[in-house]
Amino acid sequence: METTSLVTPSPPEPPPDEHHSRAPEFYGFVAWTSTSIVFVLYVLWALLPDDYIVWLGVEWYPSREWALLLPAYSIVIVLLTYFVYFAIAIARTPAFSDPSTFIDNKAHLPAPGADQDFKHADPDAIPELYDIPIGLVNRVLYGPCRSQNEKRPPQERSSNGGKIQLSSKTP
């Protein structure tokens, strides 16, 4: 086996596999050939006059209006398929207020009521890895939960009508 050097910047390719099947190549050729033949027959059926088709020995064939209807119906079916898939995706999407939009069933949460504070008293202890529950994140970021009717404590009310005042004092 050759090694990589400055002359050959990439490693050499492995030898081809000797035991692979060539069936997909044959299937591909048959599919390509058959679709080409069907397309040529379709174009001849759509464009040739009736006299030439009868002269070729074909006694019965569908009406020529199907030469336009089949592609039109095919396009409508494809577009309808996209529409149905998008509609199913939108219908199955949970509402923004549903907790399943930001919590999944693979979350690793601590057991409810478990005291996690004393597990880390040992300095050599490695803490367990948990996902932070969304309720705890909301309490830390936004404070305790209040109803709409509760009044805000006096320290949270602003006397300047919601305007922010910058203090020139530095701590």
Side-chain angles (χ1 to χ4, degrees), residues 14 16 18 28 40 43 47 54 60 65 74 76 86-87 95 99 110 116 161 166 171:
E18 301 293 331
V40 167
V43 169
L47 299 178
V54 172
W60 181 88
E65 68 183 14
S74 301
V76 168
F86 283 130
Q116 301 293 324
L166 298 176

Side-chain angles (χ1 to χ4, degrees), residues 141-170:
L141 289 177
Y142 307 115
C145 180
R146 290 189 297 261
S147 68
Q148 293 286 342
N149 298 333
E150 279 186 52
K151 291 188 175 182
R152 291 168 38 183
Q155 66 268 18
E156 290 185 18
R157 291 189 200 137
S158 64
S159 60
N160 56 4
K163 296 180 183 172
I164 298 175
Q165 290 182 342
L166 298 176
S167 172
S168 61
K169 298 178 183 178
T170 58

Side-chain angles (χ1 to χ4, degrees), residues 133-145:
I134 191 67
L136 177 62
V137 173
N138 287 340
R139 279 195 302 275
V140 169
L141 289 177
Y142 307 115
C145 180

Side-chain angles (χ1 to χ4, degrees), residues 11 22 52 56 74 92-93 97 102 104-105 108 112 115 122-124 128 133 135 144-146 149-150 156 159 169:
R22 295 185 61 184
Y52 289 115
L56 290 173
S74 301
R92 292 186 54 101
T93 301
S97 60
F102 50 85
D104 63 351
N105 56 359
H108 185 61
D115 191 11
D122 184 13
D124 295 331
E128 289 191 45
C145 180
R146 290 189 297 261
N149 298 333
E150 279 186 52
E156 290 185 18
S159 60
K169 298 178 183 178

